[in-house]
Amino acid sequence: REWSARLRDPASPSEVLRIVLEFAGRHFDRAVIFWLRDGEAQAMAQVGLSSAGGPDDTALLELCVSVDDSGCFRKVCASRAPLRLAPEGEGDLALLARFGPATPSQLYVAPIESGEEVAALLYADNAVTRRPLGDTSALEVMLHEGGLALDRAVLERALEEVEAGRSPAVATQGDAEA
């Protein structure tokens, strides 16, 4: 409930994704949030990579991959459902190499949907401890609520822009007509 409450009043879309990432970090050794734009996945934030020999937050921001080059990303975007899968193909292995020396046998990738499309991806694994991936049902609720919070944040920003663009005469006229 505490985590859901935090998502109800985020400061920005990036804050929504950071809350989801923080929650994922409680369940996995390593987790990364990627923004999706124009067929590319741009790394935004991470938990656990730098302590496991991977990039820190600054270096992570340079990580951008084509969704089509990564089998796990491509499958999740196509299915729009969270998946547990083994890394497959050169694209996945190249991505994992950029996360550090530990290679997981199984990984978890889930979509965060906003505006009827996949807006972001959560990547997570337990490569450091090698423990099996646990139950992700609570995380999947957070991912869904995160998508709703993203929608809400985008709508609030659009409303603010509309209100900022209104002149007092337009506001009065619109109020009189209503």
Side-chain angles (χ1 to χ4, degrees), residues 54-154:
D56 63 11
D57 289 333
T58 304
L60 183 76
L61 295 176
E62 297 175 14
L63 177 56
C64 184
V65 297
S66 168
V67 170
D68 290 335
D69 287 348
S70 169
C72 62
F73 286 1
R74 185 176 56 253
K75 286 179 181 179
V76 168
C77 287
S79 70
R80 298 173 73 141
L83 297 175
R84 295 166 181 249
L85 58 163
E88 59 182 50
E90 290 181 28
D92 286 350
L93 295 175
L95 175 66
L96 293 174
R98 295 182 72 182
F99 291 162
T103 301
S105 59
Q106 189 177 44
L107 47 95
Y108 177 83
V109 181
I112 302 171
E113 295 184 59
S114 177
E116 300 296 321
E117 63 184 40
V118 177
L121 293 173
L122 170 69
Y123 166 91
D125 68 40
N126 285 331
V128 177
T129 60
R130 300 276 184 219
R131 62 188 160 95
L133 300 180
D135 179 23
T136 56
S137 55
L139 176 58
E140 288 165 19
V141 169
M142 284 292 293
L143 292 166
H144 177 72
E145 288 189 22
L148 295 174
L150 283 175
D151 287 342
R152 197 170 42 253
V154 168

Side-chain angles (χ1 to χ4, degrees), residues 23-39:
F23 188 81
R26 296 171 151 252
H27 300 279
F28 296 99
D29 296 344
R30 307 185 307 180
V32 182
I33 291 279
F34 290 87
W35 280 113
L36 295 185
R37 269 203 192 109
D38 301 324

